């Protein structure tokens, strides 16, 4: 802080939602702002016995004082947004940039079948076709949609005003580094650059406006949809290890592989990461479940963490030890 950008280091679903909701509650940002592609993203957040699924609003909404913003680089599906605003009761503090693109029925129809669905394994959310229309300069903007009027704002201006006043801003990326349109496993990628630079461009922060870049890795790698996954394990082995996961948006079974140090090193490079957050350590090392201090981790878990630090040259600062927002080890000063 004051400005921290959080991005996914693998193929999305690293558990960014939980990390961001922890940071939003702990670091008191005045604004939590989302960049990234669109409602193809899905974050799951567990708070006590409540479970929230978020696709459009920033997952920092649990901090009731923070203003929640969506940057102009993100395409918005108004129905998905209205539903979340209602569900989370955030109407007074949710904002959409005037220039966010709008997903319409033509986009969801085009995404729901055919090549994108079958070859790329798209989420069917209309995000890709909407971004294609944005490139063609035919996409509608948020400022043209009456139902979004109460939420319209100039996101870049709000962010810079907050930073000038030395307030904390938390920037939320979606998807993951290797789903980036430029740096991912093309063509099996999403329709935007989702590395830290792309996320900053989505919201109007320049390269010098960022203090920290936190890249989130899960303790193993998962991928939904098609495209290569180095070291992919057979599904029965994934189940045996307790790594089975179901996609938040699509309900699809996620494919899985062991932690990939080479991929992690490349993600650190592409994002200019200054910090690492590691999630689901307890899934790999059940004896570490719900721990809140590094000293209480097992020797094997500690070695796994120091291996990551040695191979990437970046410190692991947050460690997820369970599904709840408080199941975390925070090693920042
Ligand atoms: P992003 O798209 O990166 O936000 O992740 P996601 O929300 O799609 O990931 P996923 O659905 O796999 O992760 C969310 C689930 O995992 C939620 O139920 C979280 O509470 C849980 N989770 C997050 N971090 C941890 C962790 O460190 N340990 C365990 N056991 N569960 C976690
Ligand atoms: P699209 O972004 O819906 O076009 O999907 C393109 C590819 O990116 C597919 O393989 C999707 O499964 C994947 N993808 C898109 N968004 C996410 C995400 O938030 N998490 C994981 N995979 C995603
Ligand atoms: Mg997800």
């Amino acid at each position: 802080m004051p400005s921290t950008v959080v991005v996914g280091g693998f193929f999305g679903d690293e558990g960014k939602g939980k990390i961001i909701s922890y940071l939003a509650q702990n670091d008191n940002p005045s604004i939590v702002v989302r960049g990234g592609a669109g409602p193809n993203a899905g974050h799951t957040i567990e708070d006590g016995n409540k479970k929230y699924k978020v696709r459009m609003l920033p997952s920092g909404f649990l901090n009731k004082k923070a203003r929640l913003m969506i940057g102009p680089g993100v395409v918005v599906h108004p129905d998905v947004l209205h539903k979340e605003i209602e569900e989370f009761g955030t109407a007074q503090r949710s904002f959409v940039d005037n220039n966010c693109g709008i997903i319409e029925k033509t986009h969801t129809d085009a995404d729901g079948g055919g090549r994108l669905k079958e070859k790329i394994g798209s989420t069917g959310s209309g995000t890709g076709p909407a971004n294609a229309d944005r490139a063609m300069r035919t996409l509608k903007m948020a400022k043209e949609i009456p139902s979004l009027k109460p939420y319209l704002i100039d996101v870049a201006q709000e962010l810079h005003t907050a930073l000038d006043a030395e307030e904390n801003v938390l920037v939320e990326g979606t998807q993951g580094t290797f789903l980036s349109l430029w740096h991912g496993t093309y063509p099996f990628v999403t329709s935007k650059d989702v590395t830290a630079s792309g996320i900053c461009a989505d919201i109007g922060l320049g390269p010098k406006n960022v203090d920290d870049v936190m890249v989130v890795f899960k303790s193993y790698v998962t991928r939904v949809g098609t495209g290569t996954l180095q070291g992919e394990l057979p599904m029965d082995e994934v189940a045996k290890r307790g790594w089975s996961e179901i996609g938040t948006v699509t309900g699809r079974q996620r494919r899985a592989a062991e932690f990939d140090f080479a991929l992690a090193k490349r993600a650190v490079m592409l994002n200019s990461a200054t910090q690492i957050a590691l999630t689901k350590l307890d899934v790999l090392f059940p004896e570490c479940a719900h721990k809140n201090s590094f000293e209480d981790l097992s020797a094997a878990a500690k070695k796994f963490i120091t291996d990551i630090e040695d191979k990437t040259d970046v410190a692991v600062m947050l460690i997820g030890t369970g599904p709840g927002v408080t199941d975390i080890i925070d090693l920042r000063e």
Side-chain angles (χ1 to χ4, degrees), residues 11-13 40-42 120-123 125 175 179 189-190 224-226 252:
F11 299 97
D13 306 322
N40 51 351
I120 311 297
S122 82
T123 58
S125 59
Q175 286 79 41
L179 289 178
V189 293
T190 191
V224 282
T226 51
R252 290 179 294 191

Side-chain angles (χ1 to χ4, degrees), residues 56-69:
M56 283 281 28
L57 281 177
S59 17
F61 66 88
L62 286 178
N63 175 338
K64 294 196 166 51
K65 288 195 220 137
R67 287 191 294 158
L68 311 170
M69 298 187 185

Side-chain angles (χ1 to χ4, degrees), residues 13-18 42-44 46 248 254 280 282 320 322-323:
D13 306 322
E14 298 90 353
K16 294 181 292 296
K18 178 245 177 84
H43 303 294
T44 313
E46 291 186 30
T248 309
R254 292 178 184 155
K280 303 209 178 185
D282 56 298

Side-chain angles (χ1 to χ4, degrees), residues 2 29 75 86 97 117 131 133 146 148 196-197 199 203 219 223-224 235 272 282 323-324 326:
V75 288
E86 194 177 321
D97 192 90
K117 187 95 207 161
N131 276 321
D133 278 355
L148 294 180
S197 310
I199 299 297
I203 60 171
S219 296
R223 178 161 202 174
V224 282
M235 277 305 173
S272 63
D282 56 298
T326 53

